[in-house]
Amino acid sequence: AGSRRITGCDINPALVALANDYRQQRQVPGVGFVCADILAGRVVGELDPGGGFDVVTAIHLLEHLTAAETERAMRNLWALTRRRLIVAVPFEREPDIRYGHRQIFDERSLRELGRQTTADCRFFTHHGGWIVLDRPCPPYEQQREHVR
C-alpha cells in the first residue's frame, strides 16, 4: 500500500497558516494545507497532484457562494476528484448572514448539483444535507473489487 497524502485548502491565508502550524506542532505526516480559491480558473492545475485526489470534500463551503459560483466550484471540485466527492451544506430557511451564507439548499437543490456531474449520487441528511458523488468504476476495477 502506498503512502496517503491529505491536502487541505482554504481561501483565507490566516486559516491556512493556523492549520499548518497545528500540523507542524503535532508532527502529522502526509498532511499539508495550501491557500487556494476553488473558483479560480487555474485552481485545478494548482491543486492537482497529477491525476486528482481519490476523495475530495467540500464541507460547508457552497452556502457561502452565489448560485453561479456554486456551479463553477462544483466543476472545479469534480475535476479534482478521481473517485469520490463529498459535499455537505446546512439546511436553513434563509441564508444565515451572520456566517456569510449567501444561499440555501434543500434536498432537491442538493440532488440537482449531483445530477450536473457524471456521478452516481447518494443523498443523506445529518445536521444538514450531504451528497456523495462517485465516479463510475471502469469494468476492470469493478472486477477487482469482487475478487477482494
Side-chain angles (χ1 to χ4, degrees):
S3 64
R4 300 196 188 274
R5 188 171 51 86
I6 298 171
T7 302
C9 73
D10 198 284
I11 196 169
N12 184 328
L15 291 177
V16 171
L18 178 67
N20 272 318
D21 183 57
Y22 181 84
R23 177 201 49 81
Q24 191 172 21
Q25 293 285 332
R26 298 289 179 152
Q27 300 176 350
V28 180
V31 176
F33 298 92
V34 296
C35 194
D37 181 357
I38 197 62
L39 300 176
R42 65 191 182 285
V43 72
V44 172
E46 287 177 359
L47 292 177
D48 189 344
F53 295 92
D54 286 336
V55 178
V56 174
T57 63
I59 310 299
H60 290 265
L61 163 70
L62 300 181
E63 65 272 15
H64 296 274
L65 307 176
T66 65
E69 290 170 335
T70 296
E71 288 182 26
R72 191 170 349 136
M74 285 296 292
R75 276 195 308 273
N76 287 340
L77 290 164
W78 191 238
L80 288 164
T81 302
R82 190 172 17 221
R83 292 182 180 245
R84 175 172 287 167
L85 171 60
I86 302 169
V87 177
V89 296
F91 283 163
E92 305 170 311
R93 293 186 199 280
E94 56 187 56
D96 193 334
I97 59 172
R98 296 174 300 169
Y99 302 114
H101 296 179
R102 301 171 75 186
Q103 63 177 323
I104 60 170
F105 293 90
D106 57 19
E107 181 176 347
R108 183 198 56 74
S109 60
L110 201 49
R111 285 182 184 274
E112 184 56 35
L113 287 178
R115 284 188 204 100
Q116 294 173 12
T117 69
T118 58
D120 296 323
C121 180
R122 289 176 290 151
F123 171 82
F124 303 92
T125 58
H126 182 73
H127 300 286
W130 297 71
I131 52 172
V132 177
L133 306 170
D134 289 313
R135 288 192 184 276
C137 288
Y140 68 90
E141 286 192 13
Q142 289 174 346
Q143 291 169 2
R144 265 191 7 209
E145 291 296 321
H146 292 298
V147 172
R148 290 183 187 170

